[in-house]
Amino acid sequence: MTAAAPTPAAETPAAGRGAAGSAATGLNDAQRDAVFAPPGPLLVLAGAGTGKTRVVIARIAHLVRQGARPDRILAVTFTNKAAREMLSRAGAILGRRTAAAAKPEISTIHSLCVRILRRHAARLGYPDRFAIIDRGEQETMARRVLKDLRVPEAVLRPADLLDRASRWKSRGIRPAAACDTLSGDADDSWTLAAAGYRRYQEALKTAGAVDFDDLLLLVDELFTSCEDARRGEADRFDHLLVDEYQDTSAIQERIVGALAREHRSLCVVGDDDQSIYAWRGAEVSHILDFQRRWPGARVVKLEENYRSTPEIIRAANLLIEHNGRRHGKTLVSTVASGVPPTILQAQDETDEARRVVGDLESLLRERQVDPAEAVILVRTGEQTRPFEQDLRRRGIPYALVGSRSFFDRREVKDVMAFLRFLVDPDDDLALSRIANLPPRGISSGVVQAARAAAATDGTSLWRALTAMRDGGRLSAAAAGGIARLERLRSLAAAAPPAPPASRCAPLLRAVLDDVGYRAFLDKDYDDDPSEAETRWACVEEVATALDEHERAARPHDTDQATIVRGFLDALVLQVTEEDRFEKEKPRNDVVRLMTLHAAKGLEFDCVWMVGLEEGLLPHHRALGDGLQAIDEERRLCYVGVTRAKRRLVLALCLTRTKWGKAKPCRPSRFLYELTGQPEKFREHAEPKPDPHAAARTGKPRRPRR
């Protein structure tokens, strides 16, 4: 039995001896309260930059000093990086003698579940030495399942089956119940996915294998169906600590609760103001309702920020206080005063990139910031394109973190292939990519036969296809598909408007409309409309880049095909040079370009947050989804603001280009909130009064203020 800890008032860092004393040295009052709190339900609300990892390690050391066996302490986090850091720091604080005898169990929740399943897999019908398959093996198995069900990839791809199965698993939905979750208007692909999910799970079990999602799903199933197994696993530990508690999903929280149910020595550490992963299944209600679900829980707030200047912290506090449902806390900076956050207003996205990267370049040249301490934060992946181009143009090495390069995205490559085919139908690689994309009856077998004929005759794939069509060697469906590709060629040959009107972007739009590419994306991601919108936004970015290239090419180039070829060549050269450059430059000496989601948990001297406009941040998907969606977007903005240590620049555009036309932008409500002027956003949001309304209704007019 673990001895009870003394109250915080009875012990101070100076009074601590051994491991606990060294761990607690230099803690502030709130941190000491969290470290020395007696065993029992404990919620540590750790604001951004308040030293939460140090508190977790110090509490482990304190529990050991109070008599707890180290190997009966379990600490759970959600990334391998965090787990490694905790293990290293715990070993350093507990000392060699303690570490040699026994260590606390510190790991990710998935690693914990692997160990549990190794002990109990037979209870669920799996071998003790089950295999954990990787993504490639998953897709191979999913492809085999769909083939057995005779489901063509045009209807449901292996990747789509895996994605939908993963969504069901994260919600704890087993194959037998998958169909019951479908609404009446769900298309046939979902019914097929439910059948595929069942076959996929059966195939996994037959092979004695599990995938990553199964690790949580099966432990949850074990704890639900085998009480003795749950009790046995819970009895292995006397204390449980959970880091990043605001990021727990429903199935993760159930596992944590099942392990701590008896001893109730559960310390959870997190920040509801940084809960930004609802789209991955995280539920902020877990941390908001902790006291209700664990009666008698103590709450400690860590509010002293050791990262950012007072000016940055003031802006963060002003912003996040507008969230309706949160634990009340106010960060206080312990850092010396600095410069206030700067708002940078640009004319458009090109000007935004030019000014942000120019500002960054000046600081680098004057050695006011190291490259690794500078970051540009975007809300969505398609925003990176102009920044990548400007960084390359200026020769500033950068790394795109947490996302693929804009130019590596599938939809971007699709659109580039359409453009290449328009200017050169004999481009075999481009035609291979878009011959049946979207599906138009030209099967892979037809393409393979045409490719063989082209190799024999020494001609191009396109010429071989048309020859096969003209010779009557193709089905009516394939012949119709070739006719539709010929129609695209005729669109490109049509007389374009005279300069200076934009011609290339409208042509691209006409081509994509003709092939139904937007509808293809919507159908391909019908289970995730937000993903379809994100991918279409990247398509629009290609059109914007093409329009910019056309404007820069005038007045020298007036031929449409020449402009498109120049655009394609410029991008190929940029990407090739970047690949060569990245291989030669160390990754720790480059500027970072990343999404706000990828930046969580990191910190930088200088931060440029870009695209602070309604529709981008907050994202347009959130604008119609109610206050909870806006609150999550505000938390995302808060995460971005609190990444900055010394300098914060907030950038926005007056206009953004869509298909060659400038569209007006409205400043983000978050800009008004973090500058303490929320009423100005509301004033602009209110509809303008109609001065003639009183005359029509006979009601008196309100006086002007």
Side-chain angles (χ1 to χ4, degrees), residues 449-451 453-454 457 459-469 473:
R451 187 176 289 118
D457 299 340
T459 186
S460 69
L461 179 61
W462 174 244
R463 294 178 191 275
L465 280 170
T466 54
M468 291 170 66
R469 187 268 314 269
R473 289 180 285 156

Side-chain angles (χ1 to χ4, degrees), residues 625-642:
D625 288 349
L627 290 178
Q628 287 187 352
I630 295 294
D631 282 356
E632 174 133 341
E633 290 289 299
R634 188 177 284 109
R635 292 194 292 267
L636 186 58
C637 185
Y638 175 83
V639 165
V641 169
T642 53

Side-chain angles (χ1 to χ4, degrees), residues 167 279 379-380 382 409 518 521-522 525-537 619-622 625:
R167 289 168 182 267
W279 52 278
R379 171 63 180 87
T380 60
E382 68 270 14
R409 299 180 69 92
R518 176 66 189 269
L521 286 179
D522 289 342
Y525 298 96
D526 59 350
D527 58 320
D528 188 359
S530 64
E531 180 66 13
E533 288 182 13
T534 296
R535 291 180 179 272
W536 183 249
H619 197 272
H620 67 85
R621 290 196 301 267
D625 288 349

Side-chain angles (χ1 to χ4, degrees), residues 373-655:
E373 285 292 334
V375 67
I376 300 172
L377 299 180
V378 300
R379 171 63 180 87
T380 60
E382 68 270 14
Q383 288 175 260
T384 67
R385 194 269 308 169
F387 295 97
E388 287 192 75
Q389 287 188 323
D390 213 79
L391 286 164
R392 289 168 175 165
R393 183 177 64 82
R394 296 172 189 263
I396 300 175
Y398 74 95
L400 193 68
V401 182
S403 178
R404 290 168 295 163
S405 170
F406 175 83
F407 304 104
D408 288 336
R409 299 180 69 92
R410 164 199 160 186
E411 60 277 8
V412 172
K413 290 184 175 182
D414 289 346
V415 174
M416 303 296 280
F418 277 113
L419 287 172
R420 287 164 57 188
F421 176 72
L422 290 181
V423 297
D424 182 10
D426 293 328
D427 185 329
D428 287 0
L429 291 177
L431 179 57
S432 295
R433 187 175 187 94
I434 56 98
N436 202 45
L437 188 147
R440 57 175 63 84
I442 305 176
S443 68
S444 59
V446 169
V447 173
Q448 289 171 6
R451 187 176 289 118
T456 300
D457 299 340
T459 186
S460 69
L461 179 61
W462 174 244
R463 294 178 191 275
L465 280 170
T466 54
M468 291 170 66
R469 187 268 314 269
D470 295 342
R473 289 180 285 156
L474 294 180
S475 66
I482 292 172
R484 286 194 287 276
L485 288 174
E486 286 179 325
R487 190 167 66 230
L488 297 186
R489 299 280 302 138
S490 66
L491 286 173
S502 177
R503 299 167 298 163
C504 296
L507 167 64
L508 178 58
R509 181 61 184 258
V511 167
L512 296 178
D513 285 347
D514 189 83
V515 301
Y517 192 75
R518 176 66 189 269
F520 167 71
L521 286 179
D522 289 342
K523 183 178 180 181
D524 219 25
Y525 298 96
D526 59 350
D527 58 320
D528 188 359
S530 64
E531 180 66 13
E533 288 182 13
T534 296
R535 291 180 179 272
W536 183 249
C538 289
V539 172
E540 291 178 329
E541 272 298 308
V542 176
T544 298
L546 178 57
D547 179 67
E548 291 172 359
H549 179 84
E550 180 178 1
R551 294 176 189 277
R554 296 176 190 144
H556 308 292
D557 294 329
T558 57
D559 177 66
Q560 198 166 358
T562 301
I563 292 172
V564 174
R565 285 193 189 97
F567 171 68
L568 294 169
D569 290 347
L571 289 187
V572 170
L573 287 173
Q574 281 185 348
V575 174
T576 303
E577 289 170 358
E578 175 66 14
D579 289 342
R580 187 187 312 124
F581 186 77
E582 282 292 333
K583 292 175 183 177
E584 295 171 356
K585 281 289 182 181
R587 301 290 293 185
N588 63 349
D589 191 29
V590 296
V591 171
R592 265 57 175 181
L593 176 60
M594 66 177 71
T595 64
L596 288 163
H597 282 99
K600 186 173 178 293
L602 304 177
E603 58 183 47
F604 302 88
D605 279 344
C606 298
V607 171
W608 288 263
M609 283 177 62
V610 301
L612 270 90
E613 304 137 30
E614 292 289 296
L616 264 181
L617 187 63
H619 197 272
H620 67 85
R621 290 196 301 267
L623 296 179
D625 288 349
L627 290 178
Q628 287 187 352
I630 295 294
D631 282 356
E632 174 133 341
E633 290 289 299
R634 188 177 284 109
R635 292 194 292 267
L636 186 58
C637 185
Y638 175 83
V639 165
V641 169
T642 53
R643 298 312 93 195
K645 294 191 285 186
R646 296 192 294 108
R647 191 168 186 268
L648 173 65
V649 178
L650 307 162
L652 72 154
C653 295
L654 296 177
T655 63

